[in-house]
Each structure stands twice: as C-alpha cells, then as structure tokens.
C-alpha cells in the first residue's frame, strides 16, 4: 500500500494539521521568503500509523495573525506521491525559485540605473529612476520577508505603503 500525501498548493499563514486528533504538522516561517505577498507550498506525508481504515478526520487550523492582511488557504489534495509531487515541484519552482530570480534581476536593474545616474548626474530621468528602484526594492524585500520575527514590527508600515495586495482565488462556486 502506497503512502498518502497532503498537498497544499498555496497558503500565506502558519497552519497546524491534525489527523484523527493527533498533530502531525505545524508550519512556521521555514524560509527567508515568507511574507504577505508570498504563498507557501506544503507537501506533507500522512503517517501510516495515524490513518484508520474507513474514514479519517483531517483538521487544518489557519493562524490569521494580528495583521489585517488577507489570509489564504487553497484547496487541499490528498493522493499518492506520484499524483501530487509533480504539481508540488512545479509550484515550488514558480513560487520560490522564480521569485528569487526576479528579485536578483531587480537588484541588477537597480545597480545599472544607479551607476548610470552617477555617470550622468545632470540627467534628472536617471535620478528619478534610481530613487524609484531603491524605494521599490525596499518595499519588495519588506513584503517578501515580512513574516520573519525580526521584521514583524515593520510589516504594518510596509503594508500601508503597498498599493494593493492580491492573492489568487482558485475556489470554484
């Protein structure tokens, strides 16, 4: 008999997962990229000894936190590793690795514009572009790592400076 896995494509808060009354998972800010604009992806192996023949009760508790930012938990999937692992790997690439690459491109673009400003200081266009890139980078990094304990106090201020926060809605009615 194959092991079963719980796959959660997107969540943006800490969760606790109980299977038949036993806590089997409690998430926390496991990576640096953990903030209100970052959704986490979870693939969790369900322990065989906690599974009962027939019906099982799976309880997912979502910690809303003390901020007024929206909480999001996507649809949950239970299946074998072969069924859920490909989607988990794709989601991890798109949500984690690609965002890291985009942030690195943001830094390179900022360095290029800032160097261009110092090369041509009388050109006001590059002064405004450099200021915009620096401000944008500070806001981006704050929203990406805002759930880290050391930066918790800055999160309400960074959220107020961000025009909108939107999370995908995958639910069907």
């Amino acid at each position: 008999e194959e092991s079963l896995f719980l796959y959660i494509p997107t969540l943006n808060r800490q969760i606790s997962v109980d299977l038949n009354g036993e806590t089997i998972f409690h998430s926390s800010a496991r990576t640096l990229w953990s903030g209100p604009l970052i959704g986490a992806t979870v693939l969790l192996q369900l322990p065989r000894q906690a599974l009962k023949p027939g019906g099982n009760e799976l309880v997912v508790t979502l910690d809303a936190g003390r901020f007024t930012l929206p909480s999001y938990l996507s649809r949950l999937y239970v299946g074998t590793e072969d069924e859920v692992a490909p989607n988990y790997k794709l989601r991890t690439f798109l949500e984690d690795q690609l965002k890291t690459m985009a942030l690195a491109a943001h830094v390179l673009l900022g360095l290029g514009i800032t160097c261009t400003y110092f090369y041509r200081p009388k050109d006001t266009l590059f002064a405004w572009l450099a200021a915009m890139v620096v401000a944008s980078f500070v806001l981006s990094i704050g929203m990406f790592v805002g759930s880290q304990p050391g930066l918790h106090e800055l999160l309400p201020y960074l959220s107020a400076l961000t025009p909108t926060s939107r999370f995908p809605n995958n639910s069907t009615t």
Side-chain angles (χ1 to χ4, degrees):
E1 184 175 307
E2 290 189 64
S3 295
L4 291 178
F5 289 81
L6 172 66
Y7 170 53
I8 306 172
T10 305
L11 63 101
N12 70 338
R13 292 289 185 265
Q14 293 184 5
I15 64 166
S16 177
V17 179
D18 299 336
L19 179 61
N20 296 325
E22 178 185 337
T23 301
I24 59 170
F25 179 74
H26 181 75
S27 70
S28 60
R30 296 181 314 232
T31 65
L32 177 65
W33 305 118
S34 176
L37 294 182
I38 298 292
T41 301
V42 175
L43 182 63
L44 175 65
Q45 183 174 5
L46 301 175
R48 287 187 182 191
Q49 64 272 17
L51 292 171
K52 298 177 184 175
N56 291 284
E57 181 179 346
L58 185 68
V59 178
V60 177
T61 307
L62 183 66
D63 177 24
R66 60 186 182 128
F67 302 115
T68 58
L69 297 170
S71 298
Y72 184 76
L73 175 67
S74 66
R75 184 178 294 177
L76 308 178
Y77 299 94
V78 176
T80 64
E81 185 177 13
D82 293 337
E83 294 171 339
V84 296
N87 291 327
Y88 172 75
K89 290 176 183 176
L90 179 64
R91 174 77 65 168
T92 301
F93 172 72
L94 293 175
E95 293 291 325
D96 291 337
Q97 297 168 355
L98 199 59
K99 286 184 180 175
T100 303
M101 289 184 257
L103 192 61
H106 191 150
V107 169
L108 288 175
L109 178 66
L111 287 174
I113 290 174
T114 305
C115 288
T116 305
Y117 164 71
F118 286 123
Y119 183 68
R120 297 177 63 178
K122 292 184 180 181
D123 196 346
T124 57
L125 172 67
F126 292 113
W128 282 107
L129 284 175
M132 182 201 64
V133 166
V134 169
S136 173
F137 181 73
V138 169
L139 286 175
S140 297
I141 207 72
M143 295 306 282
F144 285 151
V145 299
S147 290
Q148 295 300 318
L151 297 173
H152 253 199
E153 300 305 319
L154 296 176
L155 190 57
Y157 302 106
L158 292 170
S159 299
L161 294 174
T162 303
T164 60
S165 295
R166 183 180 182 280
F167 294 96
N169 186 0
N170 293 334
S171 64
T172 57
T173 54

